[in-house]
Amino acid sequence: MDYRKLNNITGWVIFSISTLVYILTLEPTASYWDCGEFIAVAYKLEVSHPPGAPLFMLIGRMFSFLAMGDVTEVAYWINFSSALSSGFTILFLFWTITMLGQKLFKIDRGQETKEQTILLLASGAIGALAYTFSDSFWFSAVEAEVYALSSFFTAFVFWAVLKWELIEDEVKANKWLIMIAYTIGLSIGVHLLNLVCLPALGLLYYFKKFKNPNIRGIIITLIIGISSVLLINSGVIVGLPVLAGKFEIFFVNNLGLPFGSGAAAFVLIIFAAIIYGLRTSHKKGNVNLNTALLAFTFILIGYSSYSVILIRSNYNPPIDENNPEDVMTFISYLKREQYGELPSLIYGRQFTAELVGSEKGAPVYAKGEDDYEIVDYKTIPVYDDAHKTLFPRAWSGDAKYADGYRSWMGLEKGEKPTFGDNLEFFLRYQISYSYLRYFWWNFVGRDSDVQGAYAFWPWETFRDLPELLAENKGRNNFFMLPLLLGFLGVFFHYRRNPKDFSVVTLLFILTGLALVVYLNIPSSQPRERDYIYVGSYYAFAIWIGIGVMALSNLLDKFISKKSISVGLASIVSLSVPLIMAAEGWDDHDRSNRYFSVDSAKNFLASCAPNAILFTGGDNDTFPLWYVQEVEGFRTDVRVIVQSYFNTDWYVNQMTRQAYESDPLPFSLGYENFRQGTNDYLPYVETNLKGAINSKTFIRLIKEKNPNLQRQSSSGSTLSIVPAKEFFLNVNKQDVINKGIIPTSMEEYVVDRMNFNLKGSYLGKADLMTLDLIASNNWERPIYFNNTSRRGINLTLDEYLVQEGNAYRLLPVKNPQPNTELVNTDLMYTNLIENFHYRELDNPNVNYNMDYRNFVLNHRSTFNTLGEALIREGKTEKAKEVLLKSLELMPDKAVPYDFFSSQTVGLLAQVGAEEQAEEMAEILAVRADEMLSYMEENDIEDSYETRNNLVTLRQLQAAMKKLGNDEAATRYEEMFSSHFNQF
């Protein structure tokens, strides 16, 4: 048997299988979260969120050409690049396992027996296929995210170092080191996870170069390895641009040279230093220094993909996050300064620490007319020392995390956490919940796709479950087989080859537990973060492959014939990836899933021509960017991300033309919203009584009127808010003549709109929103979605009219504040004729929690329209709308949710008794099952409990109105029984 040939062939077969799996389960369009943004920026080479992924963007752009001009196919082909990257990851994992296996059995190359060949290939195949079907890796393999390509670089580098170790010829070996360095440099343009591998690779280097390793040498090697990570991350990726920035400031501000001269001089100095070092080391025959300099050079060559960010930002594309078009803004972009500074991991503040002051930090420079001007100084917050601790885990003072911290640590409000409490949070939340739970998902199983789902242990197989949990496609039971086989591989690897075991273990720890410590994730994450730790699962998959070898070795003790033990071990172990594939297919199959894009189109379709739409979170925004930038859908609508509106670069971008969308009509100029100016406007009580005119307030801010100026504690000048209420005068006849007011609402038109301040300050986003409203003069329609209307610090709700999934700001006052003000004719047209619902009625499509939540929003929109039509006496039309919602979003495809119980009550009102009773019974049984399950298993979930109890109460009321006393009584008994329990 030609082992080398078979190893290559089998590797490519495994690559083909895994790639085919990912292609078959590929999402055909842009998924939720960052995928819409990444596809949009790749398609048009725009600038994504910091710190960017330029190489991913360039590769995505190449794959987009395969769409052959069909913009609806662009997302598929960029997703395809992830599938292909993932397939190559599996290929190199296979070769890594077989290479480690050869070393494990001390097999000389070309001396493999038939049995050894079969065992090595089977082990590689089973380990690689187990990773193919692992939950987290499969998830990233079928969407346009950076993690698939990042995993490929990790797999390739780890394999390459193992190959390098086998090369005896030093010249060839050094060439491999340079290639590895180049690959690491390239990976920087995708994700920084690859850097975490360096200490493990350094350890392998130490074992090869030093034949008698010892603890002292290992410790020194680890220190050097970790230092190399810090050197590249801080010294190269960020450090070199920071030095270039210092040169730039000196050359421009001190020497009076043109912009860019300092950065150019720095680049030339670096090039000259490298050339000098290479020539000198070559002349002196210093191979190690020469190789190190070449490796450094190739890291820089790989890192140079970041030049694309600077180049494209200077062209001012529609998506240009942070606007990193010069060296100063590029540094801020790389350092992710918009996300704030993380506290010390060793000693620092806790979430209960009070802000007692601030210190003036480094200056913030921006391009002026002829030089760089200091526009602001970084503010360094100062917290009281009484609430600092060693190893601060519960650190974020953000209110949204505080309750989570207290819950995990068992603290009362106002109680100060101790070091022990921080340690408990670290172990219970960050280790157990935020890492081990994900690890169990991949190698034990998962009980559902619901946020916060736990592992599915074998002993839970026959537990009685509520229908919604039992039939959840994300419910996967691997019977612990991957975990057990992996653990068998761990012990076998340790006993047979401690050196290689330590290398894999270090990779496992650095890409898992070490990341847990470094990232210091706060409580209450908006989504599951398992994708962060795929490198750790990769290392465990190596042990799963080695576990096959261990099982064969174990069987050798009972079976005398080697071929039988190898065959039996291989067949038994093959059950691991087969079970993982069978269990995971339905919840990882994203074929025919389009609602992420359709929900984005529905936001935009809710808006009038040339509208302005405020959005909030990632899933409200990134799919909208995709449909506009890639598919060219409704590019007349200007999408404003509310959180970005707090930055000067973003507001400034809104003053530019974007496709058919004109610049926004601000009255404030750049000097009024540039960084360091009007970032924060606190409310200060003054002699002013009553409300202040919005236009007057904006004019006074623009003029920097001294009556609205105060000195802050740090000595800077702040604009203030002198009143808790603003008003905007309205020319009633003028707005009616514009035709923007529905005829049915003309009686509600007001001559003065009042906006109250929700909190104690206006942020820049609030100020610019107020300016936009005041300056727009009702020329362009302004809309808010649910997230943005809740996020703004002004009370706008009573003037919002729902026209679909968005709310239009109009000078009409809602006469019934407890109900939505609805433009029923327009909303009917939007929902029935203009909205998109592809495949929402297909029960074979997998809709996970993110998708179901957007369906929930649409069901709520249909209910709102139905309720409004009923109030207007249009009962038949309301019935048509409600039944249409059941047709478009049936229970068989997307199970009924909390808003479906409201639909029951509305159906009862319009005479659809049969449908109402049928829905009510389904919902009541499910609510009763879920509440009983939670009671029996002592599950505390206030959100789920409340929703199910409210559902039963609403169903009882609906059946009472229908005259179905029997059902109403049953539902009341269910409610009372569970209410008393909880």
Side-chain angles (χ1 to χ4, degrees):
M1 273 191 170
D2 187 343
Y3 170 79
R4 184 177 179 181
K5 184 177 180 180
L6 285 173
N7 187 44
N8 288 335
I9 292 172
T10 308
W12 286 107
V13 168
I14 297 301
F15 161 81
S16 301
I17 292 171
S18 60
T19 305
L20 180 62
V21 166
Y22 298 142
I23 292 172
L24 291 175
T25 57
L26 199 68
E27 185 141 11
T29 190
S31 311
Y32 282 120
W33 300 106
D34 295 349
C35 299
E37 179 202 17
F38 278 132
I39 293 169
V41 299
Y43 181 57
K44 291 188 175 176
L45 295 184
E46 301 181 78
V47 181
S48 67
H49 64 271
L55 184 66
F56 174 87
M57 181 172 74
L58 290 168
I59 291 173
R61 174 62 177 156
M62 286 197 308
F63 274 87
S64 73
F65 294 149
L66 297 173
M68 302 298 180
D70 183 353
V71 292
T72 62
E73 291 292 314
V74 167
Y76 173 86
W77 285 109
I78 297 179
N79 288 343
F80 184 92
S81 70
S82 287
L84 196 60
S85 300
S86 300
F88 276 111
T89 302
I90 299 303
L91 172 66
F92 287 107
L93 173 59
F94 170 83
W95 284 336
T96 295
I97 294 171
T98 56
M99 206 181 311
L100 288 171
Q102 280 191 302
K103 294 175 68 179
L104 202 64
F105 291 113
K106 297 180 174 60
I107 303 172
D108 292 330
R109 195 179 304 180
Q111 302 300 313
E112 301 86 357
T113 65
K114 178 181 177 182
E115 290 78 11
Q116 288 173 334
T117 297
I118 293 172
L119 180 59
L120 289 172
L121 298 181
S123 300
I126 290 165
L129 289 174
Y131 192 58
T132 298
F133 300 115
S134 62
D135 183 64
S136 301
F137 185 71
W138 196 348
F139 185 90
S140 295
V142 291
E143 65 178 20
E145 253 282 19
V146 296
Y147 298 104
L149 188 55
S150 174
S151 293
F152 159 70
F153 278 116
T154 301
F156 177 80
V157 168
F158 195 77
W159 168 83
V161 173
L162 291 174
K163 286 286 288 184
W164 163 84
E165 187 192 18
L166 299 175
I167 299 171
E168 298 298 333
D169 185 331
E170 190 174 2
V171 174
K172 289 183 180 179
N174 287 342
K175 288 179 180 179
W176 275 78
L177 288 177
I178 292 166
M179 181 190 68
I180 290 165
Y182 177 57
T183 305
I184 290 170
L186 286 173
S187 74
I188 295 170
V190 179
H191 196 272
L192 298 182
L193 181 65
N194 196 251
L195 299 181
V196 184
C197 303
L198 288 176
L201 306 183
L203 196 60
L204 201 63
Y205 183 94
Y206 172 70
F207 289 144
K208 178 181 180 179
K209 294 294 183 179
F210 296 87
K211 300 304 179 184
N212 298 305
N214 53 55
I215 296 297
R216 180 174 174 273
I218 290 173
I219 292 173
I220 291 173
T221 302
L222 292 178
I223 292 172
I224 293 172
I226 293 169
S227 299
S228 66
V229 175
L230 298 175
L231 176 65
I232 295 174
N233 185 45
S234 301
V236 175
I237 299 173
V238 176
L240 292 180
V242 167
L243 282 175
K246 293 183 184 298
F247 270 70
E248 177 77 354
I249 295 295
F250 177 75
F251 274 61
V252 176
N253 287 19
N254 295 70
L255 303 182
L257 294 173
F259 289 116
S261 57
F266 178 76
V267 171
L268 289 175
I269 291 170
I270 291 293
F271 280 170
I274 289 173
I275 292 169
Y276 174 79
L278 288 173
R279 285 174 60 87
T280 303
S281 59
H282 179 71
K283 284 180 179 178
K284 294 185 175 181
N286 191 332
V287 175
N288 290 336
L289 178 60
N290 189 264
T291 303
L293 285 171
L294 280 171
F296 176 71
T297 304
F298 274 85
I299 287 175
L300 291 182
I301 293 171
Y303 177 45
S304 67
S305 66
Y306 261 95
S307 60
V308 177
I309 299 292
L310 281 162
I311 294 167
R312 293 300 296 155
S313 183
N314 272 281
Y315 280 89
N316 295 322
I319 300 176
D320 188 12
E321 299 199 48
N322 281 58
N323 195 34
E325 58 185 21
D326 57 58
V327 68
M328 308 311 296
T329 49
F330 184 59
I331 292 166
S332 174
Y333 182 81
L334 286 175
K335 294 173 78 171
R336 300 163 53 99
E337 288 181 352
Q338 75 175 59
Y339 301 119
E341 293 287 334
L342 290 176
S344 168
L345 297 176
I346 300 172
Y347 181 82
R349 73 175 189 267
Q350 302 184 83
F351 75 98
T352 52
E354 291 187 13
L355 186 65
V356 295
S358 61
E359 295 176 355
K360 196 175 186 179
V364 177
Y365 290 94
K367 251 184 183 179
E369 289 289 330
D370 302 308
D371 59 6
Y372 290 98
E373 301 173 356
I374 297 176
V375 296
D376 194 12
Y377 288 89
K378 292 178 183 175
T379 301
I380 303 172
V382 178
Y383 294 89
D384 63 291
D385 292 333
H387 288 255
K388 291 182 178 179
T389 183
L390 282 170
F391 199 52
R393 295 282 97 189
W395 57 273
S396 176
D398 194 320
K400 66 184 177 185
Y401 298 128
D403 288 342
Y405 284 138
R406 293 189 188 96
S407 175
W408 283 98
M409 294 189 290
L411 299 177
E412 298 294 329
K413 201 158 189 174
E415 189 177 352
K416 174 185 167 183
T418 64
F419 169 75
D421 293 326
N422 277 269
L423 198 58
E424 181 181 7
F425 178 75
F426 172 64
L427 294 173
R428 290 188 60 215
Y429 180 79
Q430 294 182 332
I431 293 290
S432 180
Y433 186 82
S434 294
Y435 173 72
L436 284 178
R437 181 170 62 97
Y438 298 147
F439 183 79
W440 305 141
W441 282 4
N442 285 274
F443 303 113
V444 173
R446 182 173 178 176
D447 67 13
S448 72
D449 65 12
V450 175
Q451 177 95 1
Y454 281 88
F456 188 169
W457 298 96
W459 47 86
E460 297 173 342
T461 304
F462 303 106
R463 177 188 289 183
D464 288 333
L465 294 170
E467 177 189 357
L468 287 179
L469 287 182
E471 296 184 2
N472 187 287
K473 290 181 179 179
R475 188 170 179 80
N476 300 324
N477 184 4
F478 304 151
F479 302 99
M480 286 179 62
L481 294 178
L483 183 73
L484 294 175
L485 189 60
F487 279 162
L488 191 61
V490 169
F491 295 123
F492 187 70
H493 201 195
Y494 171 72
R495 289 184 58 199
R496 283 296 186 97
N497 193 332
K499 290 181 182 179
D500 282 356
F501 169 78
S502 65
V503 172
V504 178
T505 300
L506 194 57
L507 177 68
F508 177 75
I509 292 172
L510 290 173
T511 55
L513 296 178
L515 279 180
V516 173
V517 175
Y518 175 74
L519 295 173
N520 204 0
I521 291 176
S523 63
S524 311
Q525 291 296 300
R527 62 182 291 198
E528 302 287 12
R529 303 291 189 187
D530 52 301
Y531 53 85
I532 299 171
Y533 307 113
V534 288
S536 181
Y537 314 144
Y538 181 91
F540 194 79
I542 292 174
W543 283 323
I544 289 177
I546 292 174
V548 181
M549 306 175 199
L551 184 60
S552 173
N553 187 71
L554 186 64
L555 291 173
D556 284 342
K557 297 178 180 179
F558 306 98
I559 301 172
S560 57
K561 198 168 184 181
K562 183 66 178 177
S563 58
I564 296 177
S565 66
V566 167
L568 189 58
S570 301
I571 293 170
V572 170
S573 299
L574 186 61
S575 64
V576 167
L578 290 178
I579 288 173
M580 294 174 76
E583 287 287 298
W585 192 281
D586 58 353
D587 54 300
H588 290 89
D589 182 5
R590 304 195 196 182
S591 55
N592 296 316
R593 195 163 82 175
Y594 298 94
F595 198 59
S596 52
V597 169
D598 284 355
S599 63
K601 289 182 176 179
N602 295 346
F603 271 130
L604 296 170
S606 301
C607 301
N610 200 31
I612 299 165
L613 172 62
F614 282 86
T615 63
D618 293 356
N619 285 339
D620 298 344
T621 304
F622 293 155
L624 275 68
W625 285 359
Y626 161 78
V627 296
Q628 288 189 316
E629 296 296 312
V630 179
E631 297 193 9
F633 182 85
R634 291 301 306 273
T635 51
D636 60 303
V637 178
R638 181 65 67 103
V639 176
I640 298 178
V641 188
Q642 193 177 54
S643 57
Y644 291 0
F645 224 33
N646 277 310
T647 64
D648 58 353
W649 57 266
Y650 189 70
V651 177
N652 201 42
Q653 287 173 17
M654 295 298 108
T655 64
R656 299 198 294 256
Q657 183 84 17
Y659 304 111
E660 296 87 12
S661 175
D662 293 329
L664 299 190
F666 298 119
S667 63
L668 295 174
Y670 181 68
E671 68 279 2
N672 303 117
F673 60 75
R674 73 188 306 175
Q675 184 175 349
T677 304
N678 295 321
D679 296 333
Y680 168 79
L681 294 80
Y683 165 69
V684 176
E685 191 170 351
T686 63
N687 294 329
L688 180 66
K689 304 298 180 186
I692 184 172
N693 187 309
S694 300
K695 291 189 176 182
T696 302
F697 174 70
I698 296 297
R699 178 174 56 80
L700 294 174
I701 293 293
K702 183 180 179 68
E703 295 171 354
K704 300 182 180 179
N705 188 290
N707 292 319
L708 293 188
Q709 303 280 303
R710 295 289 187 275
Q711 292 294 311
S712 70
S713 58
S714 62
S716 60
T717 301
L718 289 177
S719 297
I720 64 161
V721 179
K724 279 275 190 176
E725 188 177 356
F726 300 90
F727 70 86
L728 179 66
N729 290 324
V730 179
N731 186 325
K732 294 174 65 173
Q733 194 55 50
D734 183 49
V735 295
I736 291 173
N737 292 341
K738 286 180 186 291
I740 63 174
I741 307 297
T743 305
S744 61
M745 295 182 190
E746 287 183 358
E747 62 181 304
Y748 304 142
V749 177
V750 295
D751 54 18
R752 173 169 158 160
M753 300 169 71
N754 295 290
F755 313 126
N756 292 319
L757 190 65
K758 287 182 182 177
S760 58
Y761 70 94
L762 286 179
K764 183 175 290 179
D766 308 310
L767 175 68
M768 299 313 297
T769 304
L770 186 63
D771 180 20
L772 180 61
I773 294 170
S775 306
N776 183 49
N777 198 30
W778 308 108
E779 294 298 327
R780 293 183 68 173
I782 298 176
Y783 291 83
F784 294 85
N785 72 350
N786 253 324
T787 312
S788 59
R789 73 170 184 162
R790 288 195 303 266
I792 191 169
N793 277 333
L794 296 167
T795 55
L796 305 177
D797 282 9
E798 58 185 348
Y799 305 109
L800 294 178
V801 178
Q802 191 165 359
E803 297 181 357
N805 277 356
Y807 301 81
R808 184 170 181 173
L809 182 70
L810 287 173
V812 294
K813 190 166 184 178
N814 190 345
Q816 297 177 296
N818 293 328
T819 62
E820 301 284 3
L821 194 58
V822 179
N823 184 340
T824 53
D825 291 340
L826 181 54
M827 191 162 170
Y828 176 87
T829 301
N830 283 334
L831 264 65
I832 305 301
E833 299 176 15
N834 296 336
F835 274 23
H836 301 74
Y837 308 93
R838 285 177 293 176
E839 300 292 340
L840 275 189
D841 59 349
N842 185 350
N844 297 318
V845 177
N846 166 40
Y847 292 109
N848 65 11
M849 191 172 181
D850 291 326
Y851 290 77
R852 295 197 300 271
N853 284 340
F854 272 84
V855 173
L856 177 149
N857 292 340
H858 282 64
R859 282 173 172 158
S860 173
T861 302
F862 270 96
N863 287 347
T864 298
L865 177 58
E867 189 175 9
L869 289 169
I870 292 170
R871 286 198 303 272
E872 293 177 2
K874 300 175 182 177
T875 306
E876 282 304 310
K877 198 170 186 179
K879 182 177 180 180
E880 176 199 346
V881 165
L882 294 168
L883 293 179
K884 187 68 174 177
S885 74
L886 300 183
E887 175 191 333
L888 293 169
M889 300 170 282
D891 178 63
K892 66 179 181 179
V894 188
Y896 293 143
D897 51 53
F898 172 73
F899 286 107
S900 299
S901 59
Q902 297 177 8
T903 308
V904 171
L906 295 172
L907 287 170
Q909 292 182 57
V910 299
E913 298 179 5
E914 183 179 343
Q915 290 89 345
E917 290 176 343
E918 181 183 343
M919 279 186 73
E921 188 62 21
I922 292 170
L923 284 162
V925 169
R926 287 177 182 168
D928 183 47
E929 286 181 349
M930 183 61 74
L931 289 167
S932 297
Y933 173 75
M934 293 171 69
E935 289 164 15
E936 291 166 7
N937 294 279
D938 294 323
I939 298 173
E940 295 183 10
D941 187 332
S942 58
Y943 178 80
E944 189 71 29
T945 300
R946 179 177 58 81
N947 280 359
N948 283 293
L949 287 172
V950 171
T951 293
L952 289 172
R953 177 60 83 192
Q954 289 179 334
L955 295 177
Q956 184 269 338
M959 292 303 99
K960 193 76 173 174
K961 283 184 181 178
L962 270 179
N964 188 337
D965 294 335
E966 186 271 330
T969 302
R970 278 194 299 114
Y971 301 158
E972 174 62 30
E973 289 172 354
M974 289 178 185
F975 173 83
S976 299
S977 169
H978 296 300
F979 184 80
N980 292 334
Q981 285 289 331
F982 282 102

